[in-house]
Amino acid sequence: MSVLFVSGIDTDIGKTYATGMIAKALMQQGIKVITQKLVQTGVAINLDNGDMNIADDIIIHRQLMNLPLQPCDLDFTTCPYRYEKPASPHLSAALAKDILNPNLITDATKALQADYEVVLLEGAGGLMVPITEQLLTLDYIADKGYPVILVTSGRLGSINHTLLSLQAIKARGLSVHSVIYNHIHDDSDNTDAEIAASTIEFLQHYLKQHYQDTYWLQLPIQDDLHQVAMSVPNTFIDKLK
């Protein structure tokens, strides 16, 4: 039974799409997989309709997996904490006058592990985002020993942010299961094609030098990710076991 933590070098880097696409790829290879969200902020709260309070990222995961919302989504096991303010979890929880208990997240993960072979646990923002006033995301996953899938991109600054993230993971004694390059930003106004190409080349070379056991994967370049498949090598799956 495996848990992989999906983090990113920054917010809005493509963690949600990477999580959903990996889950879809694993499903297609016969792996019983579910996704979970550590905590979701920026949720449109509607007290009269419980379905409206389901984490947005969980909904996207299921769409990418071509699945309806599952019972574990509807009872919020896949995302116990959801807050309206789109901010760091520690602030969103405080503004909601709530106390986020990390043990509740852990219990939810364990419940999912009882029914699934693989749990893909997506974080909120980057590794150093505070979950509570006392606990960073990296503190939490280091305590659990979860291997990390790190999502990056080719926008300016990605090399710096990626290497800092890799060093932070390594310093906590965690393994980097894979690095996923997200092409989504490559067509945006904020990404230079030469910088993106150089980023791919540099990061692939860096991983071969310093992280030989880490997989390099790329999100497909498509306008509609719902219609494409992301291939993962058999060794990627073997490493989950």
Side-chain angles (χ1 to χ4, degrees):
M1 300 296 180
S2 297
V3 179
L4 287 175
F5 190 85
V6 184
S7 189
I9 64 168
D10 201 352
T11 189
D12 192 30
I13 204 70
K15 295 187 305 298
T16 301
Y17 285 97
T19 303
M21 293 298 289
I22 293 171
K24 179 180 179 181
L26 295 178
M27 282 178 54
Q28 292 172 337
Q29 298 195 38
I31 304 295
K32 192 175 183 184
V33 58
I34 193 69
T35 63
Q36 183 184 358
K37 181 74 177 178
L38 187 72
V39 53
Q40 179 87 64
T41 65
V43 176
I45 301 298
N46 184 339
L47 299 179
D48 296 325
N49 185 349
D51 288 356
M52 293 296 291
N53 299 335
I54 293 174
D56 299 338
D57 290 353
I58 293 294
I59 293 173
I60 294 174
H61 295 166
R62 300 296 168 263
Q63 291 173 344
L64 291 168
M65 296 166 71
N66 293 322
L67 288 178
L69 290 172
Q70 302 296 292
C72 55
D73 301 324
L74 299 175
D75 67 11
F76 306 115
T77 302
T78 50
C79 188
Y81 288 108
R82 305 159 313 282
Y83 299 112
E84 189 168 11
K85 180 70 174 180
S88 179
H90 80 292
L91 174 59
S92 296
L95 293 173
K97 295 180 172 53
D98 190 27
I99 297 175
L100 190 155
N101 181 358
N103 292 330
L104 182 60
I105 299 172
T106 303
D107 291 343
T109 303
K110 291 178 179 178
L112 295 172
Q113 284 181 278
D115 294 324
Y116 294 90
E117 294 175 270
V118 175
V119 178
L120 299 176
L121 176 56
E122 181 190 342
L127 290 164
M128 303 303 284
V129 167
I131 303 174
T132 70
E133 293 287 350
Q134 296 79 31
L135 189 71
L136 302 176
T137 298
L138 187 57
D139 296 330
Y140 179 78
I141 60 176
D143 179 64
K144 306 306 172 190
Y146 296 149
V148 179
I149 294 175
L150 184 66
V151 182
T152 185
S153 78
R155 65 191 185 196
L156 185 61
S158 289
I159 291 177
N160 175 69
H161 296 337
T162 303
L163 300 193
L164 285 174
S165 297
L166 289 172
Q167 290 191 11
I169 295 167
K170 187 175 182 179
R172 294 300 186 94
L174 297 171
S175 64
V176 184
H177 180 279
S178 48
V179 173
I180 298 183
Y181 181 90
N182 176 20
H183 281 282
I184 292 174
H185 294 290
D186 287 0
D187 294 328
S188 71
D189 294 336
N190 298 323
T191 301
D192 182 288
E194 289 181 333
I195 292 175
S198 175
T199 298
I200 292 174
E201 181 180 1
F202 182 91
L203 291 179
Q204 286 180 312
H205 180 69
Y206 187 88
L207 291 176
K208 287 179 181 178
Q209 282 188 311
H210 303 284
Y211 295 85
Q212 293 90 348
D213 295 330
T214 296
Y215 291 97
W216 171 269
L217 300 174
Q218 298 190 50
L219 279 177
I221 306 174
Q222 289 284 337
D223 292 332
D224 188 358
L225 286 174
H226 297 71
Q227 303 302 318
V228 301
M230 181 179 181
S231 62
V232 296
N234 289 332
T235 49
F236 181 102
I237 295 175
D238 292 339
K239 197 173 179 181
L240 300 178
K241 300 176 181 178

